[in-house]
Amino acid sequence: MAAPSQPQQATYDAIVIGAGIQGSFAAYHLARRHRDTLLLEQFLLPHSRGSSHGQSRITRSAYPKAPYARMMPDSFQLWQRLEEEAGTSLYRQTGLVVLGPAGDPELESCRHSLGDTQLLDAVTLAQRFPGLRLHPGEVALWDGTAGVLFADRALRAVQDVFRRHGGTLRDGEKVLSIQPGAVLTVTTTAGMYRAPRLIITAGAWTGALVAPLGLHLPLQVCHHHGSPTDPEERDWAPPGAPRPDVTLLSTFISSYLPGLEPRPAVVETCLYTNTPDEDFILDRHPKFSNIIIGAGFSGHGFKLAPVVGKLLCELSLGEEPSHSTAPFAISRFLTAVL
């Protein structure tokens, strides 16, 4: 899908920058609503530089924060719709056991989102999952809706269906500048494009894209809760470098699943772009209302991508969002300077 060498110039109904799972779903929703949409990606697809690659992602209904718990039923339905449109399986339902100290506030919030009937005592847990060790003072919750999303397959599926609805996907084009206006101009390494609405879902590169637009977002790039990293250099770790995240996971496996081999067979890194409160940013630019920003998914955005894409689409069309975006407003960060 590499872009042709000749300069491109075209006008669209909408432009989306960043063809990860969030941007791809935003473009998909726009195309389904018959908007002529351009989806731009700076790297050649497929790639592993962002946050949407790999074999799998978890999905679940159990959430300690109510806004996400309310969004998950819609997300499950939209994943199923994509499966039907793409004619392929994107999700394997396995169920999920959530462990934690009895009375822990986050665990209690998850319990509330699932209902008390999902609480498993130590005896029931041992009967259903004999390989799982519950420690003293801990309780377990059962989320029967949970399972595994096939990440790479899902990303390909949403992009394929987007193109089937008439969308244009151009990879290998890095955005060089964004010129605001009633009709925006996006200049890339291969062309110049115009549209009355723009959605930015560029992951770890979002901060650099919106800074020239007078917006400074408190986004930190890291390997989940690991060390902050430069997205341009995330693959440059020296051989033999310590992997504290792997050690942490191996320790957990040894403690709670003693019958399993604790060392991973495959290690693959994934960039997470975190906000200070680990909640998403889904909002209009404070000055340029036809620029919509989706960022800071903080390691838990993949499962919600169908809903996030729908919300970004609705915001870009000037519609009332189908879910409240108040928890995801840019205004909660005082570092935004216009």
Side-chain angles (χ1 to χ4, degrees), residues 14-164:
I15 297 173
V16 180
I17 299 175
I21 196 66
Q22 312 295 349
S24 294
F25 260 113
Y28 156 88
H29 283 287
L30 284 163
R32 286 190 93 258
R33 299 185 60 177
H34 309 292
R35 267 51 175 203
D36 187 15
T37 304
L38 171 65
L39 177 58
L40 291 169
E41 170 56 47
Q42 65 173 322
F43 301 115
L44 296 177
L45 293 169
H47 70 83
S48 60
R49 299 289 300 275
S51 307
S52 299
H53 63 282
Q55 297 182 44
S56 63
R57 295 292 188 280
I58 193 173
T59 187
R60 66 186 190 274
S61 294
Y63 249 108
K65 293 187 177 181
Y68 303 112
R70 287 193 292 265
M71 291 161 67
M72 279 309 302
D74 194 10
S75 188
F76 276 111
Q77 291 177 3
L78 290 171
W79 277 117
Q80 184 177 19
R81 186 177 76 179
L82 178 62
E83 283 187 317
E84 294 168 355
E85 288 184 287
T88 187
S89 173
L90 303 176
Y91 162 66
R92 179 161 62 91
Q93 188 173 354
T94 62
L96 171 73
V97 176
V98 183
L99 305 175
D104 176 80
E106 287 199 7
L107 191 73
E108 286 302 308
S109 296
C110 288
R111 178 179 175 179
H112 177 74
S113 70
L114 293 172
D116 289 344
T117 58
Q118 304 305 317
L119 185 66
L120 302 179
D121 59 27
V123 174
T124 305
L125 184 71
Q127 291 173 343
R128 293 180 62 178
F129 305 102
L132 188 57
R133 176 187 294 169
L134 192 64
H135 294 187
E138 295 180 337
V139 294
L141 303 177
W142 171 247
D143 181 350
T145 69
V148 176
L149 290 166
F150 307 129
D152 285 336
R153 189 188 303 177
L155 185 60
R156 286 194 304 270
V158 69
Q159 291 171 354
D160 288 345
V161 176
F162 162 68
R163 286 195 295 263
R164 201 182 306 159

Side-chain angles (χ1 to χ4, degrees), residues 1 3 8 10 63 75 85 105 114 119 126 133 135 178 191 196 215 218 223-225 242 252 281 295 297 325 331:
M1 285 187 288
Q8 298 289 314
Y63 249 108
S75 188
E85 288 184 287
L114 293 172
L119 185 66
R133 176 187 294 169
H135 294 187
I178 299 167
L215 188 60
H223 297 81
H224 200 3
H225 294 290
F252 177 87
I281 293 173
F297 295 101
T325 57
S331 60

